[in-house]
Amino acid sequence: MALLPFRKRSATPDSTAAMESFLQSFSIEVMPRTAAKVDDFRTLLPQGTRVYIAHIDGTPIEDMVATAKRLTAEGFPVMPHFPARIIRDKATLADWIARYQGEADVKQGLILAGGVDAPQGDFDSSMALLETGLFDAAGFTHLHVAGHPEGNRDIDPAGSTKRVMEALQWKQAYARNSDAEMAIATQFAFEPKPVIAWADAIRAAGIELPIHIGIAGPAKLQTMIKFAVACGVGASMRVLQRRARDVTKLVMPFEPTEILSELAVHKAANPDFNISHVHFFPLGGIKATAGWTAEHGGAQARAAAAIG
């Protein structure tokens, strides 16, 4: 398999080791249509990599389940999205869970409100889904919930963090009564310092759930800006805007090396730091992100990329 070439960045041995450690057990997100473009994920990803399957409004549940079944057969633990606002009612949720488990042996789920403005049925939030008790009754081993280092205007339109923090505290309390391992999977960001400050703030608020930090994989700058605007990643836009002013960089992929290097070094210096994993959004394509992880993730990632 030919990987996309990436320029090797100079790094001290300490930062290289920190990066490799930080990238261990990373996860990646796909959609049914993007997964269909990959012949065999075993040629791209380390064995056991968790693969999230994004459920975009309008995607048939049959396509979601088929993608989960295919990835499970290739040896990857899958974590499909359960977007509350596109699930009609409790019976529909129960049906989805039964299909995922019966056909794809799914034991994990990302529980979130979803990207639509108005609920299409009985549920308006991830908390409403969790309150049904269906995930625990089905024996889900891992339940992740959404986090937003730069705030979430869907919950707090004015930009306040009060309601967002209250929602996370509710989920922390739920985790104490659930047999599932819970964690926060975040929206992507481009600057390390605001991410560190946010992680420290939620820890100070008594939220001990581990954080899987969302990171955009390599992509064209124009692609990054488009997704950042669509997903409401406001504060980090300045990083992309600064780069856009340099016309020599417009044709080069924007890579996550800088933010991940700084987060990795911070994690190495602060072992109790509550960011435990990296979760990639492959905005420039699954193969491009897999190539970057093979270049920077150490022997495990490189071994997977060498298959075939």
Side-chain angles (χ1 to χ4, degrees):
M1 181 196 73
L3 294 175
L4 293 179
F6 288 97
R7 293 174 292 111
K8 189 70 174 179
R9 305 297 181 92
S10 61
T12 66
D14 285 348
S15 65
T16 298
M19 176 78 91
E20 292 187 358
S21 176
F22 196 48
L23 288 176
Q24 294 302 301
S25 301
F26 70 85
S27 58
I28 192 168
E29 184 162 299
V30 304
M31 294 179 286
R33 63 177 177 80
T34 58
K37 298 177 182 178
V38 177
D39 292 332
D40 189 337
F41 277 84
R42 290 169 291 191
T43 66
L44 295 178
L45 302 175
Q47 184 178 11
T49 300
R50 175 184 283 125
V51 181
Y52 292 62
I53 308 176
H55 195 152
I56 307 302
D57 185 26
T59 303
I61 185 62
E62 291 79 11
D63 292 356
M64 292 290 297
V65 173
T67 303
K69 182 178 180 180
R70 174 258 175 111
L71 286 163
T72 298
E74 291 180 5
F76 297 96
V78 295
M79 180 173 274
H81 289 196
F82 287 86
R85 293 177 184 175
I86 68 170
I87 299 175
R88 186 171 63 252
D89 50 31
K90 188 174 180 179
T92 301
L93 176 60
D95 177 62
W96 286 17
I97 290 172
R99 290 194 197 189
Y100 277 125
Q101 292 199 316
E103 299 180 39
D105 195 28
V106 167
K107 300 181 178 69
Q108 309 184 35
L110 173 61
I111 319 302
L112 69 170
V116 298
D117 293 333
Q120 298 175 8
D122 295 342
F123 304 114
D124 64 349
S125 69
S126 59
M127 293 177 286
L129 289 185
L130 292 171
E131 283 180 322
T132 66
L134 291 176
F135 296 103
D136 286 320
F140 271 53
T141 59
H142 295 77
L143 294 172
H144 290 186
V145 293
H148 301 82
E150 297 183 358
N152 183 355
R153 293 188 179 276
D154 190 43
I155 298 176
D156 275 314
S160 166
T161 61
K162 182 176 183 292
R163 290 180 61 194
V164 173
M165 197 67 74
E166 288 173 349
L168 286 175
Q169 288 170 333
W170 186 97
K171 292 163 188 174
Q172 174 69 61
Y174 178 91
R176 296 191 184 103
N177 297 306
S178 173
D179 290 333
E181 293 184 29
M182 292 189 65
I184 299 169
T186 81
Q187 182 57 274
F188 56 84
F190 298 101
E191 283 195 291
K193 288 182 176 57
V195 168
I196 292 169
W198 173 78
D200 289 344
I202 67 169
R203 169 68 68 84
I207 297 157
E208 299 175 352
L209 297 175
I211 297 168
H212 295 223
I213 187 65
I215 296 293
K220 294 178 180 179
L221 184 60
Q222 296 93 324
T223 300
M224 290 287 192
I225 292 173
K226 180 184 75 173
F227 277 101
V229 171
C231 297
V233 182
S236 283
M237 277 290 289
R238 58 178 170 261
V239 175
L240 302 178
Q241 290 167 341
R242 284 198 299 267
R243 185 181 178 100
R245 296 189 193 106
D246 186 344
V247 294
T248 65
K249 295 180 179 179
L250 287 176
V251 297
M252 298 169 60
F254 185 93
E255 300 175 19
T257 311
E258 185 175 342
I259 180 172
L260 283 177
S261 293
E262 291 196 35
L263 290 175
V265 169
H266 183 81
K267 175 74 174 179
N270 302 272
D272 293 335
F273 184 50
N274 50 345
I275 292 182
S276 61
H277 293 75
V278 177
H279 173 61
F280 284 104
F281 294 85
L283 303 186
I286 297 168
K287 292 180 181 179
T289 296
W292 187 93
T293 61
E295 184 71 29
H296 295 83
Q300 181 187 24
R302 286 193 291 271
I307 294 174

